[in-house]
Amino acid sequence: MPKNLVIVESPAKAKTIARYLGKDFAVMSSFGHIRDLPKKDIGVDVSNGFKPTYQISQDKEKVAAELRKASKSATVWLASDEDREGEAIAWHVCAVLDIDPEKTKRIVFHEITEPAITAAVANPRTIDLKLVHAQQARRILDRLVGYELSPVLWKKVRTGLSAGRVQSVAVRLIVEREREIKDFKHASSFKVSAVFNAGGHNLEAELEKKLRNTKNAREFLLSANKATFQVDDIVQKPGSRSPGAPFTTSTLQQEASRRLGYSVRQTMTVAQKLYEHGHITYMRTDSTNLSQLAVNAAKEYVVATYGEKYSRPTQYKTKSKSAQQAHEAIRPTHFNKPSAGTDSGQKKLYELIWRRALASQMTPASVQRTEATIAMSDRTDKFIATGEILVFDGYFKVYGGGKDDKILPSIEKGQQLPLKSMEALETFTRPASRYSEASLVKKLEELGIGRPSTYAPTIGTIQDRGYIEKKDLDGEPRKVNQLVLKNGKVDELSQMSTVGADKSKLLPTQLAEVVTDFLVKNFASVIDYDFTANAEGELDDIADGKLTWKEMLDKFYKHFHPLIKKSENVSRAEASQERKLGKDPKSGKNVFVRYGRYGPVLQLGEAPKDKKDKEAPKPHFAPLPEGTTLDDVTLMQAIPMFALPRIVGNTLKDEEITTNIGRFGPYLKVGSAFISLKEHDPLKISEAEARKVIISKQKADSKKLLADYGEVQVLNGPYGPYVTDGKINVKIPKATDPKKITEKDALKLLANPPRKKRR
DNA sequence: CAGTGAGCGAGCTTCCGCTTGACTT
């Protein structure tokens, strides 16, 4: 057994470090945090100085046992990351290994190289308890917010919901953006473009100002028809384009989404693989810093491949507010490998990382911009023509900059320019764009909310909870006007274009709107966009010893907990946004809409006042018609919905056919069988159409049945063959032929049903 | 595959941040 045990956070890191440390050192990994607050209980004794109860996380029992065993006869070196969480990990490891945090060797290194590690081992310190306390305050604050806020939602809105410092703000951003888009008033104006004859060559130019409406555009084109044009001025401006900093988690997610179409999660999974194979440095980072070794390696590669004048070694300042600088930027471990990875997904991402990191160490590209101003007789309006040529490609050699040169024909000041053609095209102002996964991450990072390791999981959570949906939008057609000057006359044309089409954008559900409205109204300060930034300031004070963690939590809780108490008085009707639509003319009963247990619901009549009164008439519930929402559905739209469930007629065997809309959409019911309605409206479908639907479903079902043993059946489902007894379904293993399953086999499979996962 | 909205009511849900597999779909 080695005399020394070094503990790091990641097993991949452990492997590399072990190579540098030699035989006297064993290197093991804690796999991140190994202790945490209990999952089931709040785990914080608020009345006892916020005393936390920590326990070894369920999935870390094995790791903890192995670390204990290995540490028995060895000196322990704690080498977790140098940030708040890393310091806390080291402290928790001490607790688990039963060693004194104030006497234990704590080491840190920012790059995994032999000299860095040797230097770290030569200069151990002890655990910084102030930093640990800052982490503890962060952890407890998040627990208090999450575990006191969520139950309020269970009571007032719907069971199983969640709220938290990060996710609730993410949802709020999306809800508010969608409302902005909905309320946006499009303004239109006309953009005028002209083509002039410049010594036999075409010169394209645009009118500097935009024209307000069709009338102005028409007038302008007519006056241009009579006018003469000449070159007023030519200005040449040199410009340069600088490369971006090497990737952080957030910028990698944005670029992988933009250039490769990867989801945030996909990017992280692929990057993890590249990291594990040693192709890239750690992928969860908010630092743009490169090690000196990396800067040198990049320089060497650039000089050798592209020449001296392309090389410019640079360190980039980290922009992120909450950056903790425990890691480097994401970069290739070997700059001399332009390609790495085992499949095309990995190769593409690696190449992107390699190009970006290399480009960051290259010179800016320089361009020459030419701007010509064209004057018009009788009017002060000016046309502008611009050209741009690339003078030196610089970092464009490896990253971006695929644009073609736009060269102006040679012209000189005072030159007359005969007009060849002119047109005015209607353009529209646009609202802010919807968030994609990647742009949401960018926004959260700007607000200092969330950390690199949580961006992908947060996006998963808000979708799993039913707050956000990732969708493609078709958009709507819109008429666009165009005025063309032709033979001294103005022709008015119009064409259709699509507005509002969008791909893979995050859209709020009605649940998200209801929950966000509730939280903003009752807990404004906690889901404020600045809440995290302010808390971070206080956490820094704790780390600096200017504030104790208990003082910070005390101040927060004195403000927060009364809000929880106060929210108990909010009625369910208010929280569910209940709205009276009016009276049903037939029955005279009131019609309401509100967010019910299973989503938006229409209600005809009131619930009985005395809950025990069994004789009292019950309200009639119905779903909202398609395309309507809680806040825009009208009485006229609502009333027809109460015709559901609707009796359509009978089958030839005289069974009753009814239709309704359920959780999974419109359906038809005959006997005890349910059939989804895809093309028909449950309010309108005729008896004859319904019979057709039933027959085609029966046909499909007969193909589905592979074997029928009475008690048990073998069926072909959408996810492959399975056996069922009507209650439990068990998938048939891939290796077995479903046609050869006997009754005995089926019963055996059903005897061991897989444990149910909650949705 | 599943097809509610009250009812009787027990038992459950939930946070953020650090790390990988084991496991479905």
Side-chain angles (χ1 to χ4, degrees):
Chain A
M1 273 300 249
K3 290 194 288 283
N4 296 285
L5 172 66
V6 177
I7 300 173
V8 295
E9 290 180 38
S10 142
K13 205 169 166 179
K15 233 165 68 188
T16 328
I17 294 169
R19 270 189 273 145
Y20 296 125
L21 282 173
K23 270 191 291 208
D24 288 343
F25 289 82
V27 187
M28 290 175 78
S29 160
S30 73
F31 293 82
H33 274 294
I34 61 169
R35 270 200 340 169
D36 192 14
L37 297 170
K39 241 180 132 65
K40 283 202 100 164
D41 186 50
I42 195 155
V44 178
D45 190 348
V46 171
S47 54
N48 193 6
F50 300 96
K51 190 172 183 293
T53 307
Y54 290 117
Q55 52 185 228
I56 295 174
S57 313
Q58 226 183 4
D59 55 334
K60 300 294 164 54
E61 292 281 3
K62 218 175 128 195
V63 177
E66 281 165 9
L67 288 176
R68 269 198 201 110
K69 199 172 144 204
S71 70
K72 270 208 177 112
S73 55
T75 304
V76 173
W77 301 71
L78 300 160
S80 44
D81 298 342
E82 189 182 31
D83 58 17
R84 205 160 63 205
E85 297 296 329
E87 205 67 16
I89 287 172
W91 181 74
H92 280 301
V93 167
C94 286
V96 171
L97 300 186
D98 204 19
I99 50 186
D100 185 348
E102 296 192 72
K103 285 183 192 145
T104 307
K105 293 178 194 301
R106 167 85 169 109
I107 53 170
V108 292
F109 33 83
H110 299 117
E111 51 181 87
I112 304 173
T113 56
E114 199 165 1
I117 290 163
T118 324
V121 171
N123 299 290
R125 58 173 173 88
T126 55
I127 287 180
D128 180 351
L129 285 175
K130 291 196 295 260
L131 200 53
V132 174
H133 289 156
Q135 191 275 347
Q136 185 156 269
R138 196 281 303 157
R139 179 69 190 94
I140 293 172
L141 176 88
D142 282 335
R143 173 52 69 95
L144 291 173
V145 171
Y147 275 42
E148 289 202 2
L149 219 43
S150 302
V152 174
L153 295 180
W154 304 343
K155 261 190 261 164
K156 301 295 177 186
V157 183
R158 180 162 118 182
T159 151
L161 293 176
S162 64
R165 174 175 61 81
V166 174
Q167 60 170 286
S168 296
V169 175
V171 172
R172 182 183 181 181
L173 282 165
I174 292 164
V175 166
E176 290 183 348
R177 177 59 53 88
E178 197 61 30
R179 287 181 179 167
E180 252 175 67
I181 293 170
K182 205 173 148 195
D183 294 342
F184 187 80
K185 301 273 183 289
H186 293 272
S188 87
S189 59
F190 285 81
K191 190 176 88 180
V192 180
S193 50
V195 180
F196 298 103
N197 180 352
H201 296 282
N202 281 349
L203 175 66
E204 289 170 28
E206 262 182 33
L207 184 67
E208 223 174 0
K209 72 167 190 188
K210 284 194 167 179
L211 302 176
R212 208 174 294 158
N213 51 36
T214 320
K215 190 171 156 258
N216 292 0
R218 170 183 287 278
E219 277 169 15
F220 183 87
L221 292 190
L222 286 173
S223 72
N225 185 48
K226 292 183 199 129
T228 56
F229 300 87
Q230 66 170 358
V231 179
D232 192 37
D233 197 12
I234 303 169
V235 181
Q236 302 232 337
K237 289 181 205 155
S240 82
R241 304 278 150 77
S242 298
F247 283 132
T248 61
T249 303
S250 147
T251 52
L252 175 67
Q253 289 171 350
Q254 288 158 44
E255 285 289 281
S257 158
R258 226 163 54 89
R259 294 176 177 239
L260 308 176
Y262 288 7
S263 72
V264 161
R265 203 184 116 130
Q266 215 179 343
T267 300
M268 295 314 283
T269 313
V270 175
Q272 173 88 30
K273 286 276 174 301
L274 291 171
Y275 166 67
E276 282 168 15
H277 287 105
H279 298 312
I280 60 168
T281 54
Y282 198 59
M283 63 285 155
R284 290 186 275 262
T285 176
D286 47 21
S287 167
T288 50
N289 198 64
L290 293 179
S291 71
Q292 199 50 51
L293 200 85
V295 171
N296 293 344
K299 182 181 172 189
E300 205 173 295
Y301 186 88
V302 172
V303 170
T305 315
Y306 306 107
E308 193 84 47
K309 63 177 181 175
Y310 281 92
S311 171
R312 181 188 281 186
T314 312
Q315 279 294 0
Y316 293 81
K317 281 215 177 77
T318 299
K319 276 193 200 138
S320 168
K321 278 184 202 168
S322 46
Q324 297 187 1
Q325 308 284 8
H327 302 279
E328 274 189 77
I330 305 169
R331 63 162 174 93
T333 45
H334 302 289
F335 276 95
N336 55 6
K337 269 204 290 194
S339 178
T342 49
D343 56 48
S344 83
Q346 289 180 28
K347 281 183 181 148
K348 278 187 203 157
L349 193 71
Y350 175 83
E351 223 172 88
L352 190 67
I353 293 166
W354 179 81
R355 287 175 186 280
R356 174 79 167 222
L358 202 67
S360 80
Q361 301 303 306
M362 292 173 73
T363 41
S366 51
V367 293
Q368 182 74 38
R369 257 176 81 89
T370 310
E371 196 177 288
T373 314
I374 297 154
M376 190 175 172
S377 61
D378 310 331
R379 286 184 89 116
T380 52
D381 299 308
K382 303 263 195 277
F383 277 83
I384 306 284
T386 52
E388 189 174 290
I389 48 167
L390 190 61
V391 179
F392 177 65
D393 56 356
Y395 80 94
F396 282 174
K397 269 239 181 315
V398 298
Y399 199 84
K403 264 200 258 162
D404 289 336
D405 287 349
K406 195 185 162 203
I407 303 165
L408 294 184
S410 69
I411 43 175
E412 49 192 53
K413 219 169 154 173
Q415 181 179 338
Q416 290 293 317
L417 294 170
L419 180 64
K420 283 183 82 173
S421 66
M422 190 179 282
E423 63 165 47
L425 184 69
E426 189 174 19
T427 58
F428 297 84
T429 52
R430 284 197 301 193
S433 51
R434 289 189 175 85
Y435 287 108
S436 65
E437 290 188 359
S439 67
L440 180 65
V441 167
K442 185 178 177 199
K443 182 71 187 174
L444 288 172
E445 191 187 37
E446 278 166 18
L447 292 168
I449 299 172
R451 307 275 319 131
S453 71
T454 62
Y455 296 140
T458 299
I459 282 169
T461 302
I462 61 180
Q463 289 180 64
D464 290 347
R465 299 273 179 274
Y467 292 136
I468 301 301
E469 285 168 344
K470 192 166 150 181
K471 275 190 183 164
D472 295 340
L473 294 171
D474 293 335
E476 282 162 22
R478 174 169 64 191
K479 202 175 116 186
V480 179
N481 294 308
Q482 187 183 17
L483 283 74
V484 181
L485 180 63
K486 216 174 176 184
N487 306 326
K489 279 189 192 157
V490 175
D491 282 354
E492 262 183 63
L493 311 164
S494 73
Q495 43 185 295
M496 296 309 280
S497 77
T498 307
V499 60
D502 237 334
K503 252 190 120 70
S504 284
K505 289 296 177 327
L506 304 177
L507 294 163
T509 60
Q510 300 211 12
L511 173 65
E513 303 207 32
V514 167
V515 167
T516 300
D517 286 341
F518 178 82
L519 292 176
V520 169
K521 193 155 181 208
N522 298 283
F523 299 94
S525 54
V526 182
I527 66 159
D528 189 273
Y529 294 124
D530 287 334
F531 179 77
T532 293
N534 294 335
E536 280 294 338
E538 296 189 331
L539 295 175
D540 287 346
D541 286 346
I542 297 171
D544 291 342
K546 293 182 208 150
L547 181 72
T548 71
W549 67 275
K550 284 182 191 175
E551 282 165 358
M552 187 240 185
L553 287 175
D554 199 45
K555 191 181 132 217
F556 162 72
Y557 199 70
K558 272 194 180 128
H559 165 74
F560 174 67
H561 193 66
L563 298 178
I564 297 280
K565 284 270 170 235
K566 212 175 134 198
S567 75
E568 281 168 15
N569 302 325
V570 178
S571 71
R572 266 201 81 115
E574 191 194 328
S576 66
Q577 305 195 349
E578 185 171 294
R579 189 161 65 89
K580 192 167 132 183
L581 298 180
K583 269 193 198 329
D584 171 29
K586 218 155 67 189
S587 62
K589 288 180 187 166
N590 284 326
V591 177
F592 302 92
V593 64
R594 67 185 161 87
Y595 195 90
R597 259 175 70 188
Y598 299 94
V601 65
L602 294 167
Q603 184 181 327
L604 176 67
E606 269 119 77
K609 289 212 172 62
D610 182 3
K611 287 195 174 174
K612 295 206 179 94
D613 183 2
K614 299 258 157 84
E615 303 300 311
K618 282 141 201 171
H620 186 165
F621 298 97
L624 271 64
E626 220 178 306
T628 64
T629 59
L630 273 182
D631 45 296
D632 69 13
V633 66
T634 63
L635 183 67
M636 294 301 287
Q637 291 170 319
I639 284 169
M641 300 307 288
F642 292 111
L644 296 171
R646 166 174 167 250
I647 299 169
V648 178
N650 293 309
T651 62
L652 293 173
K653 285 187 202 152
D654 222 26
E655 289 171 302
E656 192 178 73
I657 307 169
T658 57
T659 59
N660 202 354
I661 298 175
R663 187 142 89 84
F664 307 97
Y667 68 94
L668 178 156
K669 191 177 173 196
V670 53
S672 60
F674 294 88
I675 305 169
S676 285
L677 284 177
K678 298 214 167 78
E679 284 144 36
H680 296 282
D681 183 340
L683 286 167
K684 288 185 191 143
I685 188 170
S686 69
E687 186 180 47
E689 288 167 329
R691 285 179 180 173
K692 267 193 206 158
V693 169
I694 294 166
I695 290 166
S696 70
K697 168 76 172 165
Q698 282 165 345
K699 262 192 195 156
D701 280 354
S702 66
K703 277 187 206 153
K704 205 172 93 174
L705 190 66
L706 296 177
D708 192 349
Y709 300 113
E711 288 272 298
V712 291
Q713 297 174 317
V714 185
L715 298 169
N716 230 335
Y719 302 128
Y722 65 101
V723 294
T724 181
D725 62 1
K727 276 184 194 157
I728 306 168
N729 306 322
V730 181
K731 209 173 156 174
I732 294 168
K734 261 203 180 132
T736 26
D737 182 355
K739 285 185 194 128
K740 288 186 184 152
I741 295 273
T742 62
E743 184 173 7
K744 233 176 159 180
D745 296 332
L747 287 169
K748 218 162 117 190
L749 280 168
L750 284 166
N752 290 308
R755 60 197 160 77
K756 275 208 172 163
K757 279 186 93 175
R758 35 175 224 91
R759 53 172 218 102

